[in-house]
Amino acid sequence: MIRETFTVEGPIQVEVSAASGSITVERGSHGSVEVEVDTRNPDAWRVAQTGSTISVTNERGFGRGGRARIRVAVPDGTSLSVRTASANVRATAPLDRATLSTASGDIDLVDAVNANLKSASGDIAVDRIAADLTARAASGNVRVGHVGGRASLTSVSGDLQIDRVDGDAVVSTASGDVRVKTFSGSDFESATVSGDLDLGLPPGRTVKLSARTLSGSVRLPDRRQASGSNGPEVSLRLRSVSGDIRIERVG
């Protein structure tokens, strides 16, 4: 077991690189970063501070000695960068920027200002992003709560779901479903090959719509609900090959 506590000031950056196991980043105390690395090969690890950057690295790369259970406690507003092959990543601390990449592990992020997330075969779950979110999954599902800014979500064979997005959005998947419960931005683009698309719009929006599906159906809100609106315009570009497209008024 490796245990270290570092004193930090100003903007803080934490960088973690691990092959497999688990990585947990939780809320800690102001002015300090605590690191624990539970591993059978402590000599393979380097835990160090350079200015306001704390690094946790397996010096043997993603090979021997790379498996570990890592716990980091950070102050609010820390920026986090994680690179791993198959470790699961869970971050519950309120972060500034989160850049998380895993090949086959899951990503669970609670709160960040901006986030760039990537998983090849794992799932991605996000609670809150204050500004912009980019999430890429090859065969995993992506589930997002609230995005305050722009959202860009892509998956090859997984489902994509956002509860609410306030900015513009681009959401696409090959064989999964797309569901956006509430879209409050001005420009929305979505494409799916064999999945369905469900989109919820707040009332009082003027809609500029382009929707096309080859073998599916397109279902729009009742015209009486959509007409007579003097609200802001929203542009929708929706494409599906064999799935259905459904748009409804919410709220």
Side-chain angles (χ1 to χ4, degrees):
M1 174 75 77
I2 302 171
R3 290 189 177 93
E4 297 283 355
T5 300
F6 301 96
T7 300
V8 291
E9 296 181 357
I12 302 163
Q13 173 79 24
V14 172
E15 301 174 349
V16 181
S17 178
S20 59
S22 64
I23 300 168
T24 303
V25 180
E26 59 191 41
R27 174 180 265 174
S29 303
H30 177 74
S32 70
V33 173
E34 300 176 8
V35 180
E36 292 183 356
V37 182
D38 186 357
T39 174
R40 294 182 179 180
N41 301 278
D43 293 340
W45 290 85
R46 180 177 182 269
V47 180
Q49 178 179 10
T50 304
S52 294
T53 299
I54 309 300
S55 58
V56 182
T57 309
N58 174 27
E59 294 192 306
R60 298 176 185 173
F62 284 175
R64 182 181 177 186
R67 181 176 181 81
R69 290 192 298 272
I70 299 171
R71 185 189 72 87
V72 186
V74 301
D76 292 3
T78 294
S79 291
L80 175 66
S81 176
V82 172
R83 186 174 66 92
T84 177
S86 59
N88 294 324
V89 182
R90 176 168 172 78
T92 59
L95 301 173
D96 181 13
R97 176 171 293 277
T99 305
L100 314 178
S101 177
T102 177
S104 60
D106 296 334
I107 293 175
D108 189 353
L109 175 62
V110 171
D111 190 359
V113 177
N114 293 284
N116 190 329
L117 314 176
K118 183 184 297 184
S119 179
S121 60
D123 295 334
I124 296 175
V126 181
D127 285 3
R128 294 176 301 275
I129 299 297
D132 298 338
L133 169 66
T134 299
R136 303 283 183 266
S139 59
N141 299 319
V142 180
R143 298 282 186 270
V144 180
H146 179 209
V147 180
R150 186 178 187 277
S152 176
L153 275 60
T154 303
S155 179
V156 176
S157 60
D159 296 334
L160 304 176
Q161 178 176 306
I162 309 177
D163 289 343
R164 175 183 166 188
V165 56
D166 295 336
D168 296 341
V170 177
V171 185
S172 63
T173 180
S175 60
D177 295 331
V178 173
R179 185 181 186 193
V180 179
K181 293 183 179 179
T182 303
F183 176 69
S184 301
S186 59
D187 192 277
F188 182 86
E189 182 177 353
S190 182
T192 178
V193 176
S194 59
D196 296 334
L197 168 61
D198 291 273
L199 177 64
L201 297 176
R205 307 296 300 273
T206 301
V207 178
K208 181 180 179 181
L209 175 64
S210 172
R212 184 175 63 199
T213 178
L214 293 182
S215 59
S217 62
V218 178
R219 189 176 71 190
L220 304 177
D222 185 79
R223 290 182 61 86
R224 289 173 297 179
Q225 293 179 285
S227 62
S229 170
N230 295 317
E233 183 178 89
V234 55
S235 176
L236 307 179
R237 297 183 301 280
L238 315 176
R239 300 289 182 270
S240 179
V241 176
S242 60
D244 296 332
I245 295 175
R246 293 178 290 267
I247 304 172
E248 63 180 351
R249 300 283 175 168
V250 295

